[in-house]
Amino acid sequence: VGNQDSIPVQQDTLTGTNEYYYYFQIDSMNWINCDYFYNDPAPRTTVTGNVSSQFNQSNCIVYMSVDGQNSIGQLYYTNGHYETYNWPIGKAVTFVAIAEINGQYYSAFQSTTLVNNHVEALNLTATTLSAIQSQLSLLP
């Protein structure tokens, strides 16, 4: 994460879909889509990340970092939870959830191995921007 004083929530005005995202600079991570694992022979699964009701698409974003690959993929907000599709079962990942409400940052970093129909309960706790940056630099 770059040396920013904040991680502002941005509204995507180009798609006209009312979607939100966080804008922050990453100098040591790559973005991937779920098709990155297209040739992986493992069976695929849907991945769901659940957060408490105070967190939603306007103040929270959820990613999965692929352990050992220095890559991250976004889960998309759908009907009160975050989802992504076609991830290989057995893949070691770390869920990353970041939120900001009224100037207070929240985060959750949870390591796991994906199972069939994976559902991860993400317990975001109050934190600081520097703590989030530190945690991001420690992703496996």
Side-chain angles (χ1 to χ4, degrees):
V1 173
N3 293 325
Q4 294 180 209
D5 294 326
S6 66
I7 304 175
V9 175
Q10 304 284 325
Q11 183 173 8
D12 186 351
T13 58
L14 296 178
T15 63
T17 60
N18 227 8
E19 292 185 20
Y20 293 84
Y21 63 93
Y22 280 97
Y23 174 78
F24 56 97
Q25 295 175 325
I26 299 177
D27 57 9
S28 59
M29 184 77 63
N30 295 312
W31 293 101
I32 59 171
N33 286 326
C34 60
D35 63 355
Y36 180 85
F37 298 105
Y38 181 77
N39 292 322
D40 190 310
R44 303 292 196 289
T45 190
T46 298
V47 178
T48 301
N50 289 327
V51 298
S52 69
S53 62
Q54 76 187 71
F55 303 109
N56 57 56
Q57 67 184 6
S58 68
N59 61 26
C60 181
I61 196 157
V62 177
Y63 299 102
M64 276 192 323
S65 171
V66 182
D67 295 359
Q69 301 238 339
N70 213 33
S71 297
I72 196 165
Q74 183 177 349
L75 281 72
Y76 295 94
Y77 191 82
T78 306
N79 298 320
H81 55 265
Y82 293 83
E83 288 185 337
T84 189
Y85 306 93
N86 290 320
W87 283 84
I89 293 171
K91 188 64 66 181
V93 301
T94 302
F95 283 84
V96 176
I98 300 171
E100 188 270 332
I101 300 174
N102 297 325
Q104 173 63 62
Y105 289 103
Y106 299 84
S107 69
F109 290 79
Q110 293 177 205
S111 295
T112 191
T113 300
L114 297 179
V115 297
N116 193 34
N117 298 316
H118 193 99
V119 177
E120 192 74 19
L122 300 167
N123 182 26
L124 284 82
T125 58
T127 189
T128 63
L129 181 58
S130 62
I132 292 171
Q133 291 170 325
S134 177
Q135 290 271 150
L136 288 170
S137 71
L138 297 175
L139 287 171

